[in-house]
Amino acid sequence: GIQVEQSPPDLILQEGANSTLRCNFSDSVNNLQWFHQNPWGQLINLFYIPSGTKQNGRLSATTVATERYSLLYISSSQTTDSGVYFCAVELGYGQNFVFGPGTRLSVLP
Amino acid sequence: DVKVTQSSRYLVKRTGEKVFLECVQDMDHENMFWYRQDPGLGLRLIYFSYDVKMKEKGDIPEGYSVSREKKERFSLILESASTNQTSMYLCASSLWQGIGSGANVLTFGAGSRLTVL
């Protein structure tokens, strides 16, 4: 089956720093999404990004589908950015999503 | 906004008990999913459903069953709970917008943390 890898597994930042999280996948996919899981366990969709670049405030994401990777950029990090970031790839059409292992981000005040 | 509601935030059950985890979504989504999340193992798909009364096994269906009698409701059933089913259970839904549209955004509920003693 498809393999989804994320790096780094853990990241500690000082508030205000920038960071880049990476997601690699082993096969062609129809869809890729980035999620943030807050400390209370709620998963929030950040981006739906099968290809190209999108921006939402301090966050942006780029997917290069032909090279099978996606990047999530966090600029001017805040303590509320802490949590676990997951990428998920869609197999088939809306019927199965495979998640990466996540990157745990801690932003220190 | 799509809302996915899971009936119980925290449950404590005893080994051998039958457990029902309920999930309801309010935006007429075709697809619904049950995942479990464990430290070091990430999110793993238990079952998903793409229509009423339809179900498909995910990666770890053993020990679980599901029911989808109405479009908005997807239930996860543990027939005889065991301690290795202690976990966080996450329900999600997505809208099927057709082949090629690719806009199947996955929306999660808040999770149900189950402890089996």
Side-chain angles (χ1 to χ4, degrees), chain B residues 2-52:
Chain B
V2 176
K3 189 171 182 181
V4 179
T5 304
Q6 294 185 229
S7 56
S8 303
R9 190 78 174 94
Y10 299 95
L11 299 95
V12 180
K13 298 292 182 179
R14 295 212 172 268
T15 300
E17 281 192 81
K18 191 169 186 176
V19 181
F20 291 88
L21 299 178
E22 303 285 341
C23 176
V24 177
Q25 50 92 6
D26 65 0
M27 284 298 289
D28 204 34
H29 280 185
E30 287 84 1
N31 304 320
M32 296 189 75
F33 307 82
W34 276 107
Y35 289 88
R36 66 176 279 177
Q37 183 177 18
D38 301 288
L41 297 176
L43 277 79
R44 294 178 292 167
L45 182 65
I46 305 172
Y47 269 97
F48 67 97
S49 168
Y50 53 88
D51 201 352
V52 175

Side-chain angles (χ1 to χ4, degrees), chain A residues 30-31 33 35 37 40-45 48 50 84 86 88 90 93-101, chain B residues 9 31 33 35 37 42-43 45 48 50 88 90 94 96 98-106 108-110:
Chain A
N30 296 314
N31 182 355
Q33 297 180 34
F35 294 87
Q37 187 172 39
W40 297 271
Q42 176 73 58
L43 275 150
I44 303 296
N45 181 279
Y48 157 77
V84 184
F86 291 99
E90 179 185 344
Y93 290 97
Q95 296 189 353
N96 193 358
F97 292 81
V98 176
F99 281 75
Chain B
R9 190 78 174 94
N31 304 320
F33 307 82
Y35 289 88
Q37 183 177 18
L43 277 79
L45 182 65
F48 67 97
Y50 53 88
M88 169 72 96
L90 294 160
S94 73
W96 167 235
I99 292 175
S101 73
N104 301 312
V105 176
L106 196 59
F108 280 89

